[in-house]
Amino acid sequence: MSVQNPPGEEPEGARPPVVDPEGVAETSSDETPPVAEGHSVADQDQAADPVRAAGGAMGDEVHLADALDRSRVRRAPRYRGFAVAGGLLGLILAAVFTPFAAETEYLDHGGLFVLLTALLVPVGILMACIVAALLDRRSR
């Protein structure tokens, strides 16, 4: 069992002793644990490192910026941005064309706007994505 000093009497930098689960032996946390008979310290280090224990080897550390060849990085268009722009263009076209259309007995201006929006927004998204794909193909 460990003896604790009062709060003001502990020397600076000292760590409290570690008690083993059975309470038999006390060791300081700065001490290395004993090595079992028939094993070396290298065996114990290998068991603590899962990569080496699995038979692997640690590779050299390489900074990603040093390994990256910037001349081979290809910039691709952002399809989401093109799709949003195409959808907004379809919405704007529906808003522009609605007042110029004549009302019918089946559709007033509100219904016509909804119909034009339902048709022009997907067409705008499709056309914008085709433009993005063509730009992507051209950048290769």
Side-chain angles (χ1 to χ4, degrees):
M1 189 158 126
S2 168
V3 178
Q4 294 182 358
N5 294 335
E9 294 181 19
E10 230 173 2
E12 276 189 38
R15 295 185 185 177
V18 178
V19 178
D20 70 345
E22 298 168 3
V24 177
E26 292 185 7
T27 60
S28 171
S29 59
D30 291 335
E31 296 176 13
T32 57
V35 178
E37 287 184 34
H39 295 284
S40 67
V41 175
D43 293 338
Q44 187 175 6
D45 289 341
Q46 184 178 5
D49 186 10
V51 174
R52 288 196 178 109
M58 298 294 289
D60 294 333
E61 290 186 21
V62 177
H63 289 96
L64 184 59
D66 296 337
L68 182 65
D69 182 12
R70 293 190 181 272
S71 64
R72 305 193 115 209
V73 174
R74 185 179 63 87
R75 294 186 53 109
R78 307 233 183 243
Y79 286 89
R80 183 186 307 158
F82 277 88
V84 168
L88 289 175
L89 182 64
L91 184 69
I92 291 169
L93 287 175
V96 168
F97 290 146
T98 299
F100 295 115
E103 290 184 8
T104 65
E105 64 179 272
Y106 300 109
L107 286 175
D108 59 348
H109 283 296
L112 184 61
F113 175 72
V114 170
L115 178 66
L116 285 176
T117 301
L119 293 174
L120 292 177
V121 167
V123 169
I125 291 172
L126 178 67
M127 298 303 272
C129 287
I130 289 173
V131 168
L134 291 175
L135 290 174
D136 187 26
R137 182 171 289 216
R138 186 177 139 201
S139 70
R140 289 183 186 187

